[in-house]
């Protein structure tokens, strides 16, 4: 179970809404300190290109975030992105996740995150040991503090 610090979900929705403008998908990485593996205490908005049907991370943006996280002794615990309608994990989401380690979480927020801040209607997938994804109820992996 990952504990999501107070305000992180709200900050995530702010990034998703501002970037996506109700027209495009957007992505945010949820990070935490290496020393506290079950804590998510920051939302990071990476450089990416987006459209109504997807997003693509910029290589330079990934490198920049990786450098910053390494220097700060932090790591990405989950990625969050939006879909225009219902939330699900698409084949593109399966293939182009940032992290391929078992236990990594990928959260999809419906309707470009324009609904109430929260996990209602969200879809959470967890990377399994075989490199695939398994759907899990968000409240079984994420505790909002």
């Amino acid at each position: 179970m990952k504990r999501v610090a107070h305000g992180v979900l709200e900050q995530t929705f702010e990034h998703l809404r501002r970037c996506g403008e109700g027209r495009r998908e957007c992505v945010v990485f949820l990070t935490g300190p290496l020393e506290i593996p079950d804590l998510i205490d920051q939302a990071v908005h990476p450089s990416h290109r987006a459209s109504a049907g997807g997003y693509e991370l910029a290589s330079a943006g990934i490198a920049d975030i990786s450098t910053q996280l390494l220097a700060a002794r932090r790591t990405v615990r989950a990625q969050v992105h939006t879909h225009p309608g219902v939330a699900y994990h698409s084949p593109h989401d399966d293939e182009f996740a940032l992290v391929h380690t078992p236990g990594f979480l990928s959260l999809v927020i419906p309707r470009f995150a324009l609904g109430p801040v929260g996990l209602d209607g969200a879809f959470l997938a967890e990377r399994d040991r075989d490199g695939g994804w398994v759907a899990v109820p968000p409240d079984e992996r994420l505790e909002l503090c």
Side-chain angles (χ1 to χ4, degrees):
M1 176 80 72
K2 302 289 186 210
R3 293 179 298 121
V4 181
H6 179 73
V8 172
L9 191 61
E10 290 81 0
Q11 183 184 23
T12 299
F13 269 69
E14 286 175 23
H15 286 304
L16 297 172
R17 290 171 176 167
R18 186 176 57 249
C19 170
E21 299 179 318
R23 303 188 307 256
R24 295 179 301 273
E25 289 192 15
C26 180
V27 63
V28 171
F29 299 136
L30 302 182
T31 71
L34 287 172
E35 296 80 18
I36 309 172
D38 66 337
L39 178 63
I40 293 171
D41 63 355
Q42 190 174 67
V44 177
H45 184 232
S47 175
H48 64 281
R49 290 186 295 263
S51 69
Y55 69 90
E56 182 179 328
L57 295 168
S59 297
I62 295 171
D64 185 46
I65 286 174
S66 296
T67 301
Q68 291 174 22
L69 291 173
L70 183 62
R73 298 194 40 77
R74 300 181 63 77
T75 188
V76 176
R77 301 262 157 74
Q79 65 185 31
V80 182
H81 76 280
T82 58
H83 277 186
V86 297
Y88 64 97
H89 216 251
S90 71
H92 184 269
D93 301 337
D94 291 348
E95 187 174 347
F96 294 104
L98 178 69
V99 176
H100 299 279
T101 305
F104 184 71
L105 300 173
S106 180
L107 181 65
V108 184
I109 305 294
R111 297 176 299 286
F112 294 128
L114 295 176
V117 173
L119 300 178
D120 287 343
F123 184 92
L124 183 64
E126 182 176 33
R127 179 73 78 177
D128 67 19
R129 291 183 182 181
D130 297 325
W133 293 94
V134 177
V136 293
D139 62 353
E140 287 186 11
R141 296 295 187 274
L142 299 170
E143 177 186 359
L144 303 179
C145 300

